[in-house]
Amino acid sequence: MQTTPASSSRTVPLLDLTAQYGALRNDIRAAIDRVCDSQRFIGGPEVAAIESEVAAYCGCKHGIGVASGTDALLCGMMALGIGPGDEVIVPTFTFFATAGCVARLGATPVFVDACPRTFNVRAEDIAPRLSPRTRLIIPVHLFGQCADMDPIVELAASRDIPILEDAAQSIGSTYKGRKAGRFGRLTALSFFPSKNLGAFGDAGMILTDDDALADRCRMLREHGSKPKYYHAHVGGNFRLDAIQAAVLRVKLRHLDAWTAARIRNGRRYDELLAGTPVVSPFVVEHNRTIYNQYVIRAPRRDALREHLQQRGIGVEIYYPVPLHLQQCFAYLGGSAGQLPHAEAAAREVLALPVYPELPPDAQEYVARAIRDFYAGESGARG
Ligand SMILES: *Cc1c(COP(=O)(O)O)cnc(C)c1O
C-alpha cells in the first residue's frame, strides 16, 4: 500500500471493524455457538454475566442489560418517573436519543449550550435553565470525554435533582480518576457497533448503585411485570439478547487494550496536526478520554470534508444540527443564535478515523491530506 502512487487509490475508513473481528473470530463464534446450543436467547447466564462484568468494569453495583443505548435512557427515565409536565436538562449538542427519549415520555427537553472547548455541558450553562419543574439533568460525556462533573453534581445536589449520565460514548473514560457512571443515580451505556464496546447489532445497559432503581429498571424492561404476568407498572420490551451478551463478553476483555490504542492514535494526530489551521480535541488535564471519536474543528469544514472524501478518507460530522434547531423540536421555540457555541461547533466539527487498528501510515496520510488542503488554499483566500 505504501508504494501506491495515486493518492485516490488509498482508502482509510472512518471505522474498520473487520480488523477487530479478524482477531477475535474464533472466540466470538464459539461464544455465539454456546448460545445456539443452549437455545436460550432471552435472559439466561450470558446476560447475567455481562451485566455483572460491565457493572464491575465501571465500578457500579448493578448492570441492567437492555436492547440499546436509547432504551437505557428511556427505561432509566421511566424508572425515575419522568413524564408530562417535567423538564429535563439535556445538551443541545449530542446524539438525538438523549433528548428524543425525554420527548417520548411527554416531558420537555430543556437544551443547554456546549462548552466551546470540550463540547460538553457545563454547570454554569445548566444553572440558568433550571426551574421548579426540572426533574432530571442528563449530562452526556461526548466523544469519549467526561463532562466537568464536580460542579454539575454540586448544582444538582443543591436542588435535589437526580443526574442520569449518558455515557453511551464513554465507557471506561475517567474524570479525576473516577469512571463515567460514578456520578449519576443512573447511567446509560450503548453497545451500538460503532461504540468502543460494540455488539453485533443493537444493545445497551443501565448502571446504578441504587437497589430499588435497579429493581424498577428490571421490571420495566419486561413490561413492568414481577412476577411474570403481574404488572405493577407499564414498561416495555427493552431486553438484551443473549447472543449480544455473549459477543460483548468476549469483547469486554479487550476493551482496555483498544482504549489504549485509541489514546495512542489520538496523541499521534495531536502531533501530526500541530501547526495546521485545524484545532485538535481539547482534553482536560484531569480527564482520560477514550476517543470514541477524534473530532477536530476545521476552518472551511465542508470543503475540507469533500477534499478528504476525495482522497478516500472516511470522515463524519457529529453533529450537523444542534437539537434545539431540529424540526421535531420546533414546538419548543428554539431559534438560531440561542445556543451559539453548539451552533458554531455544528459548523466546524469533523471526526477523523481513530479506531484502534488504524495504522500509523494511515494517520500520516490523513494528516498530509489536511495539510495539502490548507496549503492549496493559502493565497487563494485572504
Ligand atoms: C449512541 C448514543 C445513544 C444511543 O445509543 P443506541 O444504542 O444507538 O440506541 C445515546 N446517546 C449518545 C450520546 C449516543 O452516542
Side-chain angles (χ1 to χ4, degrees):
M1 212 184 274
Q2 275 161 333
T3 55
T4 308
S7 56
S8 59
S9 65
R10 172 149 205 186
T11 61
V12 182
L14 181 62
L15 175 65
D16 177 9
L17 288 168
T18 58
Q20 184 189 85
Y21 180 54
L24 301 182
R25 197 169 189 275
N26 291 341
D27 290 351
I28 288 179
R29 292 174 80 96
I32 292 174
D33 267 348
R34 269 201 320 270
V35 178
C36 293
D37 290 340
S38 78
Q39 289 292 302
R40 287 197 67 175
F41 299 115
I42 307 292
E46 299 288 346
V47 171
I50 193 65
E51 288 179 336
S52 52
E53 287 163 13
V54 169
Y57 181 83
C58 295
C60 295
K61 189 168 173 194
H62 301 282
I64 300 103
V66 290
S68 67
T70 303
D71 280 352
L73 289 165
L74 185 68
C75 185
M77 277 185 242
M78 289 170 81
L80 292 169
I82 302 300
D86 296 336
E87 293 180 359
V88 177
I89 298 284
V90 290
T92 190
F93 195 60
T94 177
F95 179 62
F96 179 79
T98 318
C101 292
V102 175
R104 284 170 70 184
L105 291 173
T108 304
V110 176
F111 296 112
V112 170
D113 207 357
C115 165
R117 294 209 293 179
T118 66
F119 308 118
N120 279 323
V121 289
R122 297 177 294 189
E124 68 212 70
D125 296 316
I126 294 171
R129 307 289 283 154
L130 297 178
S131 89
R133 281 139 80 103
T134 309
R135 287 280 318 276
L136 180 64
I137 297 171
I138 310 185
V140 175
H141 306 310
L142 205 61
F143 305 142
Q145 174 169 216
C146 285
D148 188 12
M149 289 309 292
D150 279 349
I152 295 174
V153 167
E154 195 181 317
L155 175 66
S158 75
R159 305 284 286 259
D160 212 12
I161 302 168
I163 290 172
L164 193 169
E165 289 175 68
D166 183 341
Q169 301 181 5
S170 294
I171 184 169
S173 65
T174 66
Y175 168 84
K176 298 184 181 175
R178 286 171 284 158
K179 272 188 174 161
R182 295 304 309 144
F183 306 95
R185 287 276 298 282
L186 294 164
T187 294
L189 296 177
S190 167
F191 307 125
F192 183 76
S194 70
K195 304 294 161 81
N196 284 29
L197 178 62
F200 278 19
D202 282 306
M205 197 172 288
I206 301 165
L207 302 173
T208 186
D209 284 352
D210 184 317
D211 298 344
L213 268 177
D215 269 355
R216 223 174 143 90
C217 289
R218 288 202 178 91
M219 283 174 77
L220 288 167
R221 78 172 163 182
E222 307 245 25
H223 290 293
S225 64
K226 189 183 177 183
K228 221 173 182 177
Y229 309 122
Y230 291 80
H231 301 263
H233 310 282
V234 176
N237 175 357
F238 304 135
R239 291 181 297 248
L240 172 66
D241 286 340
I243 284 184
Q244 299 303 345
V247 170
L248 288 167
R249 291 186 68 201
V250 174
K251 286 196 169 195
L252 178 61
R253 300 200 287 269
H254 302 273
L255 182 58
D256 282 335
W258 293 333
T259 298
R262 283 174 180 269
I263 291 170
R264 182 200 62 211
N265 291 347
R267 295 209 176 116
R268 193 178 283 138
Y269 270 138
D270 290 347
E271 285 169 22
L272 289 167
L273 297 174
T276 71
V278 309
V279 179
S280 288
F282 179 79
V283 182
V284 181
E285 207 182 333
H286 55 238
N287 279 348
R288 180 174 182 268
T289 177
I290 62 161
Y291 284 114
N292 178 243
Q293 301 294 345
Y294 186 93
V295 175
I296 60 169
R297 302 184 83 121
R300 299 187 62 229
R301 188 269 317 270
D302 290 341
L304 174 65
R305 174 175 61 156
E306 207 169 296
H307 170 85
L308 296 177
Q309 285 170 340
Q310 275 165 6
R311 296 207 176 187
I313 298 167
V315 292
E316 189 57 89
I317 297 169
Y318 304 113
Y319 296 93
V321 182
L323 300 184
H324 70 287
L325 300 179
Q326 293 286 354
Q327 187 185 343
C328 67
F329 291 134
Y331 69 95
L332 295 169
S335 59
Q338 217 169 36
L339 301 171
H341 295 312
E343 292 169 34
R347 288 190 295 269
E348 296 169 12
V349 291
L350 195 64
L352 307 180
V354 73
Y355 59 90
E357 301 80 6
L358 183 68
D361 68 312
Q363 289 194 271
E364 284 155 21
Y365 177 72
V366 173
R368 204 175 320 121
I370 291 173
R371 282 180 189 279
D372 288 351
F373 173 77
Y374 289 107
E377 74 163 2
S378 69
R381 290 170 49 87

